[in-house]
Amino acid sequence: MTQRPERQRLDAIRAGIESAGREVLTIYRRDFDVETKADDSPLTEADMASHHALVDLLKLQTPDIPVLSEESGEIPYETRSGWARYWLIDPLDGTKEFIKKSDEFTLNVALIENGVPVIGIVHAPALKDGGTTWWGQMGEGAWKQVKGEEPQFIRVRTLPDPEKEPWKVVGSRSHGAAEFEAFCADLPNNERVSMGSSLKLCLVAEGEADLYPRLAPTSEWDTAAAQAVVAAAGGEVLNAYTLEPLRCNRQDSLLNPFSSFVASAMNAGSRPWRRR
């Protein structure tokens, strides 16, 4: 059985992801064409440039670990089901935000072991004058680094007493606004923040948000990398109905089940947000 990449190789992978982010940023700062995929989602030159850069990077650094990218094309489940370990990539998460020039898009890379995201790297190349990266590894912890600064160890925060401090609930800029408002209306005192891409999960991981309810469809590549960061930071990403952790590669479809999940601190407030 192959082993997890050692720290030195993970550092090289993170550096390679940041390099791919610079290539994406070059495209972002000029005019680019937008195509429409079969599922009506947008596709840009940056999606494909990132896809090729990340696949090449991972094949170079870990040639014995298969790679699945959103832009890889269909890989049959009968093939994927035999993978105990593989890389899962979203080359450009938040393509709509990329097109709108909001800066809120990310490159996501996760290592999946037996369905569990155990390593995650999320890079936001347009943030903070050179990019911001979050990463986490099961059993090791989670970190955030703004370019030019030292890495900072991050942890989720415990839900505050809502009578003393409102809960911070983060939601999508582009999906499920009505459902998000209805969800928040059932919570105790809270304030809401809208943001694009995997950055919402990263806010939970670093303790800048308490809950992230996602009440619209997502695919496994949308969530896996940031889920690993949240888990390494002491939180959890759960199916909002069953309260089971999200898992990957368990079915033919790569959609997350029930199109609904919540990210929070571990056992946050006995999970008062549970959907019924």
Side-chain angles (χ1 to χ4, degrees), residues 130-162:
T132 302
T133 306
W134 294 260
W135 68 95
Q137 181 172 359
M138 181 181 291
E140 298 291 332
W143 292 265
K144 173 185 178 181
Q145 184 173 27
V146 177
K147 185 177 180 181
E149 300 179 9
E150 290 297 313
Q152 300 296 316
F153 186 75
I154 57 174
R155 292 287 294 176
V156 297
R157 75 169 192 164
T158 302
L159 272 175
D161 180 345

Side-chain angles (χ1 to χ4, degrees), residues 27-232:
I27 298 168
Y28 180 65
R29 289 172 172 163
R30 61 169 169 77
D31 291 336
F32 51 84
D33 294 329
V34 180
E35 301 176 16
T36 302
K37 296 194 288 188
D39 63 358
D40 290 329
S41 62
L43 179 72
T44 72
E45 178 186 348
D47 292 78
M48 296 310 300
S50 178
H51 161 75
H52 291 299
L54 295 177
V55 170
D56 290 348
L57 168 71
L58 296 171
K59 287 184 175 179
L60 175 65
Q61 293 293 336
T62 56
D64 56 341
I65 300 178
V67 179
L68 174 64
S69 167
E70 179 180 6
E71 310 306 340
S72 289
E74 295 293 330
I75 296 179
Y77 181 62
E78 63 183 15
T79 298
R80 292 188 282 110
S81 62
W83 295 351
R85 178 183 290 107
Y86 67 101
W87 291 108
L88 180 60
I89 300 172
D90 190 342
L92 187 60
D93 184 36
T95 301
K96 291 181 179 179
E97 303 302 325
F98 183 91
I99 293 167
K100 291 189 291 187
K101 305 280 189 175
S102 77
D103 293 352
E104 295 174 357
F105 57 89
T106 60
L107 286 66
N108 300 344
V109 175
L111 182 66
I112 312 299
E113 290 185 352
N114 298 314
V116 179
V118 296
I119 294 173
I121 303 169
V122 177
H123 176 57
L127 294 185
K128 298 289 186 180
D129 297 324
T132 302
T133 306
W134 294 260
W135 68 95
Q137 181 172 359
M138 181 181 291
E140 298 291 332
W143 292 265
K144 173 185 178 181
Q145 184 173 27
V146 177
K147 185 177 180 181
E149 300 179 9
E150 290 297 313
Q152 300 296 316
F153 186 75
I154 57 174
R155 292 287 294 176
V156 297
R157 75 169 192 164
T158 302
L159 272 175
D161 180 345
E163 294 185 2
K164 298 178 180 178
E165 180 183 355
W167 293 354
K168 296 179 181 178
V169 186
V170 63
S172 173
R173 286 201 191 281
S174 304
H175 304 281
E179 293 85 350
F180 175 71
E181 289 298 323
F183 183 98
C184 291
D186 289 336
L187 296 176
N189 180 30
N190 66 86
E191 59 184 32
R192 302 160 201 182
V193 177
S194 295
M195 187 163 286
S197 74
S198 295
L199 295 171
K200 298 179 287 295
L201 285 159
C202 293
L203 288 184
V204 173
E206 65 178 88
E208 290 297 316
D210 298 303
L211 296 174
Y212 166 32
R214 174 67 182 218
L215 308 173
T218 57
S219 295
E220 292 174 4
W221 49 66
D222 295 315
T223 55
Q227 179 182 349
V229 177
V230 170

